[in-house]
């Protein structure tokens, strides 16, 4: 299953119309089942599906510890993930769902309930990242996205240290890229609390809450944050950087970490 | 309730860090109730909320005719729309929901069931739009988006004829902009079948199905379509234009309408 499809289109350029082959991004419906109960169908890109299923279930609160997962089967042909955990570990959430639809690539979740479980980042655990490190990371990040380069229709997300990108994931949907990163990091026992998230997409409150949940202290986006995400970042001591483009960027929280 | 918020940030430019005021886009949770039953909470921009509620309920199939709506109350303070229709008009969908999460600004809907009700556009009813008309519409469209200019974080959608923009809506979420346009056009008894949709966002299968539902024959995006949306556009004879930027664009369907 490929993430792109090669089809014939008409390309218009300065009054000239020519028939050409072009790449389109594939929209792949992917259904996640937990103990045979259907949880959700995501429209996704058909790569890193195991990470997507685990990351989604974890970051949406359906599973509490990744070690609770007894088995996971991916049926690529039928677009299904079958995830099994001990029945006693099934959370109330799995049995009764409240539907909140968010502003971006979207999941059913209740943002405000999520706040109860979150602790602010302790300032001494924060990462003292420098402006030139951000510029350098974003440069590497932007050059990693093959799917975007091919189709112009993909989002990407990365987990990084101050100096290097550790994991990179792409998807048609902004939130899927993040869930793929979370799933992949969980499977590989990566510690989140000294890492940085990079994202191509806008930062909504939902994204911020997911990051807070795994204690990632810094998020950097090429794009814009919303007012709620900035409010949450300030309450939770998460360093939030937006519009990171070359030597330019906006800093929305933890001002005291930067010299100005 | 404003769609933007003015807050203090640090702006970084060529090694200089300065404190400045900047506009952020507001994320506004908006719950839609139909006959006192909670249908969904959308994260939205707090403008045109009546259109958003009606457009969402219509395009998601909760209401069949806009004339079935007996009453609508918007409680801006608490972020709620209370919509009332005759109990006998409540669709099965309102009572039992299947959750599909899509790639963009997203709604709970089942894409594939939706196909059953759709008829392809009759070629004689198609709009024979010209390349220079598209260029001119996109120019007007891009210059209309105040929220994007202020915040860099908004999507927009417009309903247009071949020569002019009739309605323009903005929102934090791509799909909300479309639902606002649909709601506004329905309330104003606008005929869809000789109109054009313009959108700032990517075109997914879900978007295409919503357009097919109201018989709009042409959709033009500044951004990319997915493979499924192109497949559907071709099956339904909808003219699909992507990456419309200045004199350049890609044509994905109805090739015979264009001279090349």
């Amino acid at each position: 299953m490929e993430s792109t499809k090669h089809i014939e289109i008409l390309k218009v350029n300065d009054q000239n119309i020519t028939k050409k082959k072009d790449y389109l991004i594939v929209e792949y419906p992917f259904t996640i089942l937990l103990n045979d109960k259907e949880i959700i169908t995501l429209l996704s890109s058909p790569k890193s599906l195991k990470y997507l299923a685990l990351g989604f279930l974890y970051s949406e609160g359906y599973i509490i510890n990744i070690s609770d997962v007894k088995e996971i089967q991916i049926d690529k042909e039928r677009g299904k993930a079958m995830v099994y955990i001990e029945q006693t570990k099934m959370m109330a959430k799995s049995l009764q769902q409240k539907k909140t639809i968010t502003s971006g690539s979207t999941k059913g979740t209740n943002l405000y309930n999520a706040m109860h479980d979150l602790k602010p980042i302790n300032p001494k655990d924060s990462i003292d990242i420098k402006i030139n490190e951000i510029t350098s990371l974003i440069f590497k990040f932007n050059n990693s996205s093959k799917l975007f380069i091919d189709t112009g229709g993909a989002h990407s997300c990365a987990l990084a240290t101050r100096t290097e990108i550790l994991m990179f994931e792409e998807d048609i949907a902004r939130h899927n890229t993040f869930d793929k990163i979370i799933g992949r990091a969980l499977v590989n026992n990566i510690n989140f609390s000294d890492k940085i998230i990079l994202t191509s997409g806008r930062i909504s409150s939902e994204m911020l809450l997911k990051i807070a949940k795994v204690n990632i202290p810094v998020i950097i986006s090429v794009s814009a944050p919303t007012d709620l995400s900035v409010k949450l970042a300030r309450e939770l001591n998460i360093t939030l950087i937006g519009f990171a483009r070359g030597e330019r960027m906006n800093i929305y929280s933890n001002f005291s970490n930067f010299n100005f």
Side-chain angles (χ1 to χ4, degrees), chain A residues 62-77:
Chain A
Y62 290 97
I63 54 182
I64 302 300
N65 293 301
I66 204 74
S67 56
D68 291 341
V69 174
K70 292 189 300 182
E71 192 188 344
I72 174 163
Q73 296 167 15
I74 303 291
D75 181 344
K76 269 211 153 186
E77 206 57 49

Side-chain angles (χ1 to χ4, degrees), chain A residues 25 142 144-156 170 200:
Chain A
I25 193 155
N142 287 339
S144 306
S145 185
K146 185 166 163 16
L147 197 55
F148 183 80
I149 292 161
D150 284 349
T151 67
H155 276 294
S156 48
E170 294 182 285
S200 64

Side-chain angles (χ1 to χ4, degrees), chain A residues 200-220:
Chain A
S200 64
R202 284 179 303 149
I203 302 174
S204 63
S205 56
E206 197 184 19
M207 193 90 164
L208 222 283
L209 290 173
K210 285 188 178 202
I211 282 155
K213 191 179 172 176
V214 291
N215 286 312
I216 295 175
V218 181
I219 176 162
I220 303 168

Side-chain angles (χ1 to χ4, degrees), chain A residues 26 30 51 63 72 98 133 140 155-156 163 167 173 208:
Chain A
V26 165
F30 179 57
Y51 299 145
I63 54 182
I72 174 163
K98 185 165 161 52
E133 290 170 333
K140 290 176 191 163
H155 276 294
S156 48
T163 53
M167 295 176 173
L208 222 283

Side-chain angles (χ1 to χ4, degrees), chain A residues 22-117:
Chain A
D22 201 11
Y23 285 102
L24 287 184
I25 193 155
V26 165
E27 218 181 319
Y28 175 78
F30 179 57
T31 301
I32 302 172
L33 294 99
L34 183 60
N35 288 4
D36 299 321
K37 185 181 150 46
E38 196 176 316
I39 302 291
I40 204 157
T41 298
L42 302 167
L43 293 182
S44 67
S45 300
K47 290 270 183 260
S48 302
L49 293 172
K50 182 178 152 192
Y51 299 145
L52 176 57
L54 292 176
F56 175 82
L57 290 173
Y58 180 84
S59 66
E60 292 289 331
Y62 290 97
I63 54 182
I64 302 300
N65 293 301
I66 204 74
S67 56
D68 291 341
V69 174
K70 292 189 300 182
E71 192 188 344
I72 174 163
Q73 296 167 15
I74 303 291
D75 181 344
K76 269 211 153 186
E77 206 57 49
R78 293 192 302 153
K80 278 185 199 300
M82 279 81 70
V83 182
Y84 296 95
I85 61 175
E86 269 181 54
Q87 197 62 33
T88 53
K89 305 278 186 185
M90 287 282 277
M91 300 300 296
K93 173 150 187 178
S94 312
L95 308 166
Q96 179 197 328
Q97 284 173 27
K98 185 165 161 52
K99 208 173 185 182
T100 295
I101 293 298
T102 69
S103 62
S105 312
T106 322
K107 306 298 158 52
T109 184
N110 190 330
L111 310 182
Y112 302 100
N113 290 351
M115 276 295 283
H116 293 296
D117 306 328

